[in-house]
Each structure stands twice: as C-alpha cells, then as structure tokens.
Amino acid sequence: MDSVFHDIYEKYHQDLFRFLFYMLKSREETEDLVQEVYIRVIRSYQKFEGKSTEKTWIFSIAKNVAMDHFRKQKGWKERIYEKFDWDLHQMKDTAALPEEEVLKNEDICYLYSCLDKCSTNQRLVLVMRFLNGFSVAETAEVLNWSVSKVKTTQHRALNSLKILMENVRRKEGDEVE
C-alpha cells in the first residue's frame, strides 16, 4: 500500500492541493482536507473498480470531502472564499518587466476577486477546467454531471466572469477620475 500511496501522491498531490486550496482559500484547511482525501483513498482503494480513471476517482473524493467540509460550516455558501490569502509571489514571472508584472498581478487580483462572486458550481467548473486542466468529460465525471451541464455552466461562468471583471475595471476607472 505504501507504493500505491507514493504513486498517487507523486501523480496528483499538486493538482489536488491546488483544487482544494482554490475552493477553501485557507492553507491550513486545505492541508487538513488533503489528508482526509488520502485517508479516504487508501481506505477505499481496494474497492476502486476502474470504471473511471484514477484521477477522476480521486478528484471525486476530493470534491465530496470539500462539500462535506462546507456542509459542516454554518452558512458555507457565503463563506467558501472568505479566508483567501493569495500569495502573489507565487505568480512572479522572472522574464517580465516590473511594470508588466504589476499589471499582470493586478489582472490576477481582479480575476480572483470576480471569481469569488460566481456561484459555487461556476467556481467548481472554472477551477477544475482552467486551473487544474481537467477536460470537460473529466469535470463531468468528477462532479457527476452531464457533459452538457459542464459546458453550459462553463459558458455561463465565463460570461459572468467577463461582466464582473468589466464592472470592476469600470469602477476602478471611475474612482481614478
């Protein structure tokens, strides 16, 4: 079992941590939930039938662990992202000029600020598709949705994100004037 755990850890740990971190916005809570995911994976690995890929199976468990965590909290829908502490130094592009870096970081801040205002389902899809690189089919499998529901949610989420970002930029422009 040690070699199985090591293999799973090597393949999926970074993506799993990133997925849960974007959902929880708390490093400490993310670390706790990642451990919970690994515990559930190890406990149920013998029952894994291979009907899905190992990756989608593990991320399904991660999604369920996150949702269980939110259900245990009072007002979880409103508090999903309130503890976010974004470290911009992780996003640093060493090849960029300082002015470009400031603009890039500003755009990232706008993006994450607007992502907070999307619905939970929209955030799930955007994080899985664009931050974790899941395909539409993998996302559908993890969320236990149809492919068309993932596509529709993604389309609506991107439209909402675009409108929200335009509104933030417009407000910033009004404040500067």
Side-chain angles (χ1 to χ4, degrees):
M1 202 62 203
D2 286 342
S3 64
V4 170
F5 173 77
H6 181 72
D7 186 45
I8 288 171
Y9 183 89
E10 289 295 317
K11 285 183 193 173
Y12 307 114
H13 181 72
Q14 292 299 323
D15 290 337
L16 181 63
F17 187 89
R18 186 180 316 120
F19 171 72
L20 289 171
F21 182 75
Y22 285 125
M23 294 302 297
L24 298 166
K25 294 188 172 183
S26 164
R27 185 173 186 85
E28 293 80 19
E29 287 181 339
T30 299
E31 289 169 351
D32 291 344
L33 292 190
V34 166
Q35 287 181 353
E36 178 63 27
V37 170
Y38 287 136
I39 289 168
R40 290 188 188 186
V41 166
I42 289 170
R43 284 184 182 160
S44 60
Y45 193 79
Q46 299 299 327
K47 299 174 188 171
F48 175 59
E49 298 174 355
K51 292 180 181 177
S52 64
T53 66
E54 187 177 67
K55 179 180 178 180
T56 56
W57 177 68
I58 290 169
F59 276 84
S60 293
I61 292 171
K63 179 208 54 151
N64 291 335
V65 167
M67 297 311 279
D68 289 349
H69 173 77
F70 295 141
R71 280 188 203 105
K72 290 177 187 175
Q73 294 182 0
K74 183 179 179 184
W76 68 272
K77 286 184 179 180
E78 295 81 26
R79 296 177 46 194
I80 288 176
Y81 284 116
E82 77 181 21
K83 296 180 183 176
F84 186 65
D85 182 19
W86 185 252
D87 182 6
L88 292 176
H89 299 290
Q90 292 177 350
M91 303 301 288
K92 194 171 186 180
D93 180 8
T94 56
L97 296 172
E99 297 84 14
E100 293 171 335
E101 189 66 33
V102 168
L103 291 174
K104 177 182 161 191
N105 289 340
E106 215 171 86
D107 286 344
I108 291 169
C109 288
Y110 287 140
L111 176 67
Y112 284 104
S113 172
C114 293
L115 186 61
D116 289 346
K117 296 173 184 161
C118 292
S119 73
T120 303
N121 285 345
Q122 289 175 342
R123 281 191 298 265
L124 275 171
V125 170
L126 291 175
V127 168
M128 293 182 83
R129 292 279 294 124
F130 299 107
L131 299 175
N132 285 100
F134 277 62
S135 69
V136 172
E138 289 172 328
T139 303
E141 191 172 339
V142 168
L143 297 175
N144 198 24
W145 292 356
S146 68
V147 169
S148 63
K149 181 175 180 178
V150 171
K151 288 179 180 179
T152 301
T153 304
Q154 177 181 315
H155 177 74
R156 290 178 180 161
L158 290 173
N159 285 339
S160 294
L161 203 54
K162 179 182 176 188
I163 292 167
L164 289 166
M165 287 188 75
E166 287 171 354
N167 289 340
V168 167
R169 285 200 174 115
R170 194 172 311 120
K171 282 181 185 176
E172 292 262 326
D174 292 343
E175 290 174 9
V176 170
E177 294 172 8

PDB file of all heavy atoms in Angstrom, residues 5 11 23 25 37 42 55 75 84 87 93 96 102-103 113 115 117 140 145 163:
ATOM      1  N   PHE A   5       0.302   4.496  -2.386  1.00  0.00           N
ATOM      2  CA  PHE A   5       0.149   5.850  -1.862  1.00  0.00           C
ATOM      3  C   PHE A   5       1.210   6.777  -2.459  1.00  0.00           C
ATOM      4  O   PHE A   5       0.903   7.887  -2.882  1.00  0.00           O
ATOM      5  CB  PHE A   5       0.237   5.867  -0.334  1.00  0.00           C
ATOM      6  CG  PHE A   5       0.255   7.257   0.227  1.00  0.00           C
ATOM      7  CD1 PHE A   5      -0.919   7.988   0.298  1.00  0.00           C
ATOM      8  CD2 PHE A   5       1.442   7.848   0.648  1.00  0.00           C
ATOM      9  CE1 PHE A   5      -0.920   9.287   0.780  1.00  0.00           C
ATOM     10  CE2 PHE A   5       1.443   9.141   1.131  1.00  0.00           C
ATOM     11  CZ  PHE A   5       0.266   9.856   1.202  1.00  0.00           C
ATOM     12  N   LYS A  11       1.702  11.614  -8.468  1.00  0.00           N
ATOM     13  CA  LYS A  11       0.914  11.973  -9.652  1.00  0.00           C
ATOM     14  C   LYS A  11      -0.036  13.141  -9.413  1.00  0.00           C
ATOM     15  O   LYS A  11      -0.211  13.987 -10.286  1.00  0.00           O
ATOM     16  CB  LYS A  11       0.061  10.779 -10.120  1.00  0.00           C
ATOM     17  CG  LYS A  11       0.808   9.699 -10.815  1.00  0.00           C
ATOM     18  CD  LYS A  11      -0.192   8.645 -11.265  1.00  0.00           C
ATOM     19  CE  LYS A  11       0.456   7.380 -11.703  1.00  0.00           C
ATOM     20  NZ  LYS A  11      -0.545   6.333 -11.980  1.00  0.00           N
ATOM     21  N   MET A  23     -10.783  26.169  -3.589  1.00  0.00           N
ATOM     22  CA  MET A  23     -12.125  26.054  -3.035  1.00  0.00           C
ATOM     23  C   MET A  23     -12.185  26.620  -1.607  1.00  0.00           C
ATOM     24  O   MET A  23     -13.169  27.240  -1.230  1.00  0.00           O
ATOM     25  CB  MET A  23     -12.583  24.595  -3.022  1.00  0.00           C
ATOM     26  CG  MET A  23     -12.759  23.983  -4.396  1.00  0.00           C
ATOM     27  SD  MET A  23     -13.932  24.872  -5.432  1.00  0.00           S
ATOM     28  CE  MET A  23     -15.423  24.673  -4.496  1.00  0.00           C
ATOM     29  N   LYS A  25      -9.519  28.467   0.191  1.00  0.00           N
ATOM     30  CA  LYS A  25      -8.771  29.703   0.428  1.00  0.00           C
ATOM     31  C   LYS A  25      -8.100  29.737   1.792  1.00  0.00           C
ATOM     32  O   LYS A  25      -7.920  30.788   2.377  1.00  0.00           O
ATOM     33  CB  LYS A  25      -9.659  30.923   0.254  1.00  0.00           C
ATOM     34  CG  LYS A  25     -10.122  31.115  -1.146  1.00  0.00           C
ATOM     35  CD  LYS A  25     -10.802  32.425  -1.252  1.00  0.00           C
ATOM     36  CE  LYS A  25     -11.106  32.722  -2.693  1.00  0.00           C
ATOM     37  NZ  LYS A  25     -11.698  34.017  -2.855  1.00  0.00           N
ATOM     38  N   VAL A  37      -8.609  13.377   2.153  1.00  0.00           N
ATOM     39  CA  VAL A  37      -8.753  12.739   0.839  1.00  0.00           C
ATOM     40  C   VAL A  37      -7.861  11.506   0.767  1.00  0.00           C
ATOM     41  O   VAL A  37      -8.307  10.436   0.348  1.00  0.00           O
ATOM     42  CB  VAL A  37      -8.416  13.724  -0.308  1.00  0.00           C
ATOM     43  CG1 VAL A  37      -8.318  12.994  -1.642  1.00  0.00           C
ATOM     44  CG2 VAL A  37      -9.444  14.833  -0.383  1.00  0.00           C
ATOM     45  N   ILE A  42      -7.011   5.698   0.503  1.00  0.00           N
ATOM     46  CA  ILE A  42      -6.354   4.477   0.987  1.00  0.00           C
ATOM     47  C   ILE A  42      -7.380   3.477   1.503  1.00  0.00           C
ATOM     48  O   ILE A  42      -7.289   2.280   1.224  1.00  0.00           O
ATOM     49  CB  ILE A  42      -5.308   4.825   2.072  1.00  0.00           C
ATOM     50  CG1 ILE A  42      -4.114   5.533   1.410  1.00  0.00           C
ATOM     51  CG2 ILE A  42      -4.855   3.586   2.820  1.00  0.00           C
ATOM     52  CD1 ILE A  42      -3.138   6.145   2.384  1.00  0.00           C
ATOM     53  N   LYS A  55      -7.538   9.377 -11.706  1.00  0.00           N
ATOM     54  CA  LYS A  55      -7.555  10.827 -11.469  1.00  0.00           C
ATOM     55  C   LYS A  55      -8.963  11.329 -11.159  1.00  0.00           C
ATOM     56  O   LYS A  55      -9.175  12.031 -10.173  1.00  0.00           O
ATOM     57  CB  LYS A  55      -7.004  11.552 -12.700  1.00  0.00           C
ATOM     58  CG  LYS A  55      -6.988  13.056 -12.593  1.00  0.00           C
ATOM     59  CD  LYS A  55      -6.429  13.665 -13.882  1.00  0.00           C
ATOM     60  CE  LYS A  55      -6.448  15.168 -13.838  1.00  0.00           C
ATOM     61  NZ  LYS A  55      -5.919  15.767 -15.075  1.00  0.00           N
ATOM     62  N   GLY A  75     -23.527  28.524   7.208  1.00  0.00           N
ATOM     63  CA  GLY A  75     -23.513  29.466   6.100  1.00  0.00           C
ATOM     64  C   GLY A  75     -22.401  29.211   5.109  1.00  0.00           C
ATOM     65  O   GLY A  75     -21.776  30.127   4.616  1.00  0.00           O
ATOM     66  N   PHE A  84      -9.496  33.522   1.880  1.00  0.00           N
ATOM     67  CA  PHE A  84      -8.470  33.501   0.845  1.00  0.00           C
ATOM     68  C   PHE A  84      -7.312  34.427   1.176  1.00  0.00           C
ATOM     69  O   PHE A  84      -7.511  35.579   1.520  1.00  0.00           O
ATOM     70  CB  PHE A  84      -9.091  33.897  -0.492  1.00  0.00           C
ATOM     71  CG  PHE A  84      -8.141  33.757  -1.643  1.00  0.00           C
ATOM     72  CD1 PHE A  84      -7.672  32.517  -2.010  1.00  0.00           C
ATOM     73  CD2 PHE A  84      -7.718  34.869  -2.343  1.00  0.00           C
ATOM     74  CE1 PHE A  84      -6.816  32.384  -3.070  1.00  0.00           C
ATOM     75  CE2 PHE A  84      -6.857  34.742  -3.397  1.00  0.00           C
ATOM     76  CZ  PHE A  84      -6.407  33.497  -3.768  1.00  0.00           C
ATOM     77  N   ASP A  87      -0.979  34.611  -2.394  1.00  0.00           N
ATOM     78  CA  ASP A  87       0.428  34.995  -2.340  1.00  0.00           C
ATOM     79  C   ASP A  87       0.891  35.297  -3.755  1.00  0.00           C
ATOM     80  O   ASP A  87       1.187  34.413  -4.526  1.00  0.00           O
ATOM     81  CB  ASP A  87       1.237  33.850  -1.742  1.00  0.00           C
ATOM     82  CG  ASP A  87       2.699  34.193  -1.601  1.00  0.00           C
ATOM     83  OD1 ASP A  87       3.088  35.347  -1.857  1.00  0.00           O
ATOM     84  OD2 ASP A  87       3.467  33.296  -1.223  1.00  0.00           O
ATOM     85  N   ASP A  93       6.676  36.245 -12.665  1.00  0.00           N
ATOM     86  CA  ASP A  93       7.265  35.882 -13.945  1.00  0.00           C
ATOM     87  C   ASP A  93       8.605  36.585 -14.027  1.00  0.00           C
ATOM     88  O   ASP A  93       8.667  37.806 -14.177  1.00  0.00           O
ATOM     89  CB  ASP A  93       6.344  36.313 -15.091  1.00  0.00           C
ATOM     90  CG  ASP A  93       6.896  35.958 -16.452  1.00  0.00           C
ATOM     91  OD1 ASP A  93       7.916  35.238 -16.502  1.00  0.00           O
ATOM     92  OD2 ASP A  93       6.317  36.391 -17.451  1.00  0.00           O
ATOM     93  N   ALA A  96       9.384  39.052 -16.992  1.00  0.00           N
ATOM     94  CA  ALA A  96       8.576  40.250 -17.211  1.00  0.00           C
ATOM     95  C   ALA A  96       9.252  41.484 -16.620  1.00  0.00           C
ATOM     96  O   ALA A  96       9.978  41.406 -15.639  1.00  0.00           O
ATOM     97  CB  ALA A  96       7.203  40.078 -16.591  1.00  0.00           C
ATOM     98  N   VAL A 102       3.335  44.280 -12.486  1.00  0.00           N
ATOM     99  CA  VAL A 102       2.297  44.968 -11.717  1.00  0.00           C
ATOM    100  C   VAL A 102       0.949  44.823 -12.417  1.00  0.00           C
ATOM    101  O   VAL A 102      -0.062  44.499 -11.786  1.00  0.00           O
ATOM    102  CB  VAL A 102       2.659  46.459 -11.508  1.00  0.00           C
ATOM    103  CG1 VAL A 102       1.472  47.244 -10.975  1.00  0.00           C
ATOM    104  CG2 VAL A 102       3.842  46.577 -10.563  1.00  0.00           C
ATOM    105  N   LEU A 103       0.914  45.045 -13.728  1.00  0.00           N
ATOM    106  CA  LEU A 103      -0.339  44.920 -14.476  1.00  0.00           C
ATOM    107  C   LEU A 103      -0.857  43.490 -14.448  1.00  0.00           C
ATOM    108  O   LEU A 103      -2.050  43.254 -14.294  1.00  0.00           O
ATOM    109  CB  LEU A 103      -0.147  45.389 -15.917  1.00  0.00           C
ATOM    110  CG  LEU A 103       0.092  46.888 -16.094  1.00  0.00           C
ATOM    111  CD1 LEU A 103       0.412  47.207 -17.553  1.00  0.00           C
ATOM    112  CD2 LEU A 103      -1.110  47.680 -15.624  1.00  0.00           C
ATOM    113  N   SER A 113     -10.880  38.100  -7.473  1.00  0.00           N
ATOM    114  CA  SER A 113     -11.938  38.851  -6.808  1.00  0.00           C
ATOM    115  C   SER A 113     -13.282  38.571  -7.478  1.00  0.00           C
ATOM    116  O   SER A 113     -14.296  38.362  -6.808  1.00  0.00           O
ATOM    117  CB  SER A 113     -11.610  40.338  -6.858  1.00  0.00           C
ATOM    118  OG  SER A 113     -12.690  41.086  -6.384  1.00  0.00           O
ATOM    119  N   LEU A 115     -13.960  35.939  -9.372  1.00  0.00           N
ATOM    120  CA  LEU A 115     -14.261  34.511  -9.227  1.00  0.00           C
ATOM    121  C   LEU A 115     -15.032  34.264  -7.938  1.00  0.00           C
ATOM    122  O   LEU A 115     -15.927  33.431  -7.886  1.00  0.00           O
ATOM    123  CB  LEU A 115     -12.971  33.701  -9.250  1.00  0.00           C
ATOM    124  CG  LEU A 115     -13.083  32.183  -9.248  1.00  0.00           C
ATOM    125  CD1 LEU A 115     -13.831  31.698 -10.479  1.00  0.00           C
ATOM    126  CD2 LEU A 115     -11.711  31.543  -9.171  1.00  0.00           C
ATOM    127  N   LYS A 117     -17.272  36.043  -6.741  1.00  0.00           N
ATOM    128  CA  LYS A 117     -18.663  36.450  -6.909  1.00  0.00           C
ATOM    129  C   LYS A 117     -19.465  35.486  -7.778  1.00  0.00           C
ATOM    130  O   LYS A 117     -20.677  35.634  -7.893  1.00  0.00           O
ATOM    131  CB  LYS A 117     -18.717  37.865  -7.486  1.00  0.00           C
ATOM    132  CG  LYS A 117     -18.120  38.876  -6.528  1.00  0.00           C
ATOM    133  CD  LYS A 117     -18.019  40.241  -7.134  1.00  0.00           C
ATOM    134  CE  LYS A 117     -17.322  41.172  -6.152  1.00  0.00           C
ATOM    135  NZ  LYS A 117     -16.807  42.354  -6.782  1.00  0.00           N
ATOM    136  N   ALA A 140     -17.083  16.550 -15.794  1.00  0.00           N
ATOM    137  CA  ALA A 140     -18.426  15.973 -15.671  1.00  0.00           C
ATOM    138  C   ALA A 140     -18.405  14.728 -14.797  1.00  0.00           C
ATOM    139  O   ALA A 140     -19.283  14.537 -13.946  1.00  0.00           O
ATOM    140  CB  ALA A 140     -18.976  15.653 -17.060  1.00  0.00           C
ATOM    141  N   TRP A 145     -22.014  15.113 -13.257  1.00  0.00           N
ATOM    142  CA  TRP A 145     -22.896  15.907 -14.105  1.00  0.00           C
ATOM    143  C   TRP A 145     -22.825  15.371 -15.526  1.00  0.00           C
ATOM    144  O   TRP A 145     -21.921  14.626 -15.869  1.00  0.00           O
ATOM    145  CB  TRP A 145     -22.465  17.360 -14.150  1.00  0.00           C
ATOM    146  CG  TRP A 145     -22.595  18.153 -12.901  1.00  0.00           C
ATOM    147  CD1 TRP A 145     -23.129  17.759 -11.706  1.00  0.00           C
ATOM    148  CD2 TRP A 145     -22.162  19.501 -12.718  1.00  0.00           C
ATOM    149  NE1 TRP A 145     -23.058  18.779 -10.805  1.00  0.00           N
ATOM    150  CE2 TRP A 145     -22.473  19.863 -11.392  1.00  0.00           C
ATOM    151  CE3 TRP A 145     -21.554  20.437 -13.533  1.00  0.00           C
ATOM    152  CZ2 TRP A 145     -22.197  21.112 -10.870  1.00  0.00           C
ATOM    153  CZ3 TRP A 145     -21.275  21.686 -13.018  1.00  0.00           C
ATOM    154  CH2 TRP A 145     -21.592  22.021 -11.702  1.00  0.00           C
ATOM    155  N   ILE A 163     -18.283  39.871 -17.369  1.00  0.00           N
ATOM    156  CA  ILE A 163     -19.097  41.016 -16.955  1.00  0.00           C
ATOM    157  C   ILE A 163     -18.599  41.572 -15.625  1.00  0.00           C
ATOM    158  O   ILE A 163     -18.451  42.787 -15.454  1.00  0.00           O
ATOM    159  CB  ILE A 163     -20.588  40.630 -16.877  1.00  0.00           C
ATOM    160  CG1 ILE A 163     -21.126  40.360 -18.284  1.00  0.00           C
ATOM    161  CG2 ILE A 163     -21.400  41.694 -16.161  1.00  0.00           C
ATOM    162  CD1 ILE A 163     -22.486  39.672 -18.301  1.00  0.00           C
TER     163      ILE A 163
END
